[in-house]
């Protein structure tokens, strides 16, 4: 079993829809949780970064962490065609070196 | 511009050849990382470095060599390239306690 599981999709939604992206994990020691966005032929770009459980909002994006269920989510409100990308969840146990485990990524298509 | 730069962006080589991928960051981050990204596997850590002259193996280090003589540079060398090393390679950097920031990758094809 992988430490981090993420549905690869693809997920296709109409413009303006609310998108929900999710990851599950097995290691309860993870404390730092991140979402990266990756456009085609580009590197992953940090989108959201949270510590421990709870919610964090940044514009149209909301990250949720439920450590009791070992489940993290990224919500995108009012989705735009420019949101079409691969979204990678990522998590880490500690700050030392910040070694990070990545999900395989979910491909999202937002149709105009 | 500040950031992390990888070169070359694209490389085609033959099996058995030595190839070096370059990574340069201007943030003076302590930590640097090399990943490979393959369909179905996501990002897998090859090597990382906590500081100049300090490197350590990641999940898939076999067939790769790294060095870090200067804080800003972290080259990755494939000593004798194999077809299984065809991949997209990403370099990343971070400061302690902070998330990693990535370059735009090198797409490497080994024929």
């Amino acid at each position: 079993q992988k430490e981090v599981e993420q549905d690869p999709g693809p997920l296709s939604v109409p413009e303006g829809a609310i998108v929900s992206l999710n990851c599950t994990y097995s290691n309860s020691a993870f404390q730092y949780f991140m979402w990266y966005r990756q456009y085609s032929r580009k590197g992953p770009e940090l989108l959201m970064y949270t510590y421990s459980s709870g919610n964090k909002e940044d514009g149209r994006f909301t990250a949720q962490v439920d450590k009791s269920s070992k489940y993290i989510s990224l919500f995108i409100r009012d989705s735009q065609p420019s949101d079409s990308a691969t979204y990678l969840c990522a998590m880490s146990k500690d700050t030392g070196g910040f070694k990070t485990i990545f999900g395989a990524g979910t491909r999202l298509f937002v149709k105009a | 511009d500040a950031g992390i730069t990888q070169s070359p962006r694209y490389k085609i080589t033959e099996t058995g050849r030595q190839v070096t991928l370059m990574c340069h960051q201007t943030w003076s981050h302590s930590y640097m990382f090399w990943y490979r990204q393959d369909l179905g596997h996501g990002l897998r850590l090859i090597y990382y470095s906590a500081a100049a002259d300090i490197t350590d193996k990641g999940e898939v280090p076999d067939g790769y060599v790294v060095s870090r003589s200067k804080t800003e540079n972290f080259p990755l060398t494939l000593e004798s390239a194999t077809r299984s090393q065809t991949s997209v390679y990403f370099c990343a950097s971070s400061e302690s306690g902070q998330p990693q920031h990535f370059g735009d990758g090198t797409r490497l094809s080994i024929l």
Side-chain angles (χ1 to χ4, degrees), chain A residues 2 32 34 36 38 40-46 49 88 94-105, chain B residues 9-10 31 33 35 37 40-43 45 48 90 94-105 107:
Chain A
K2 293 181 179 178
Y32 300 86
M34 291 140 286
Y36 286 83
Q38 186 175 19
S40 180
R41 298 185 180 269
K42 301 287 277 184
E45 169 196 11
L46 182 67
Y49 165 47
L88 304 164
D94 53 44
T95 60
F98 220 77
K99 284 188 286 183
T100 302
I101 307 298
F102 291 85
Chain B
R9 290 296 315 277
Y10 303 91
Y31 295 92
F33 308 82
Y35 294 88
Q37 188 175 42
H41 291 280
L43 286 162
L45 182 65
Y48 68 100
F90 287 101
S94 72
E95 200 42 75
S96 181
Q98 295 299 316
Q100 296 172 25
H101 296 272
F102 286 80
D104 279 337
R107 191 171 292 265

Side-chain angles (χ1 to χ4, degrees), chain A:
Chain A
Q1 183 190 7
K2 293 181 179 178
E3 279 192 284
V4 178
E5 298 278 359
Q6 184 175 12
D7 187 335
L11 178 63
S12 183
V13 301
E15 183 176 358
I18 297 174
V19 176
S20 173
L21 304 168
N22 311 293
C23 285
T24 59
Y25 63 94
S26 57
N27 192 334
S28 58
F30 287 137
Q31 297 189 73
Y32 300 86
F33 302 91
M34 291 140 286
W35 285 95
Y36 286 83
R37 178 176 61 195
Q38 186 175 19
Y39 291 115
S40 180
R41 298 185 180 269
K42 301 287 277 184
E45 169 196 11
L46 182 67
L47 203 56
M48 299 288 280
Y49 165 47
T50 56
Y51 170 71
S52 195
S53 282
N55 293 359
K56 182 174 183 178
E57 187 174 320
D58 184 1
R60 295 185 295 112
F61 299 91
T62 300
Q64 283 187 355
V65 176
D66 182 349
K67 291 188 72 179
S68 63
S69 301
K70 298 190 183 70
Y71 189 86
I72 69 171
S73 301
L74 177 71
F75 297 96
I76 307 174
R77 289 184 300 280
D78 187 26
S79 56
Q80 303 295 310
S82 58
D83 295 328
S84 298
T86 297
Y87 289 81
L88 304 164
C89 64
M91 45 202 79
S92 178
K93 300 176 197 176
D94 53 44
T95 60
F98 220 77
K99 284 188 286 183
T100 302
I101 307 298
F102 291 85
T106 299
R107 291 198 71 189
L108 172 66
F109 296 97
V110 180
K111 299 171 292 184

Side-chain angles (χ1 to χ4, degrees), chain B residues 27-69:
Chain B
W27 290 303
S28 299
H29 285 165
S30 299
Y31 295 92
M32 296 189 74
F33 308 82
W34 274 108
Y35 294 88
R36 58 179 292 172
Q37 188 175 42
D38 304 286
L39 208 59
H41 291 280
L43 286 162
R44 290 183 291 175
L45 182 65
I46 304 170
Y47 269 96
Y48 68 100
S49 168
D53 297 321
I54 301 175
T55 62
D56 206 349
K57 296 178 180 179
E59 181 185 354
V60 288
D62 293 344
Y64 302 96
V65 174
V66 293
S67 61
R68 194 162 176 212
S69 56

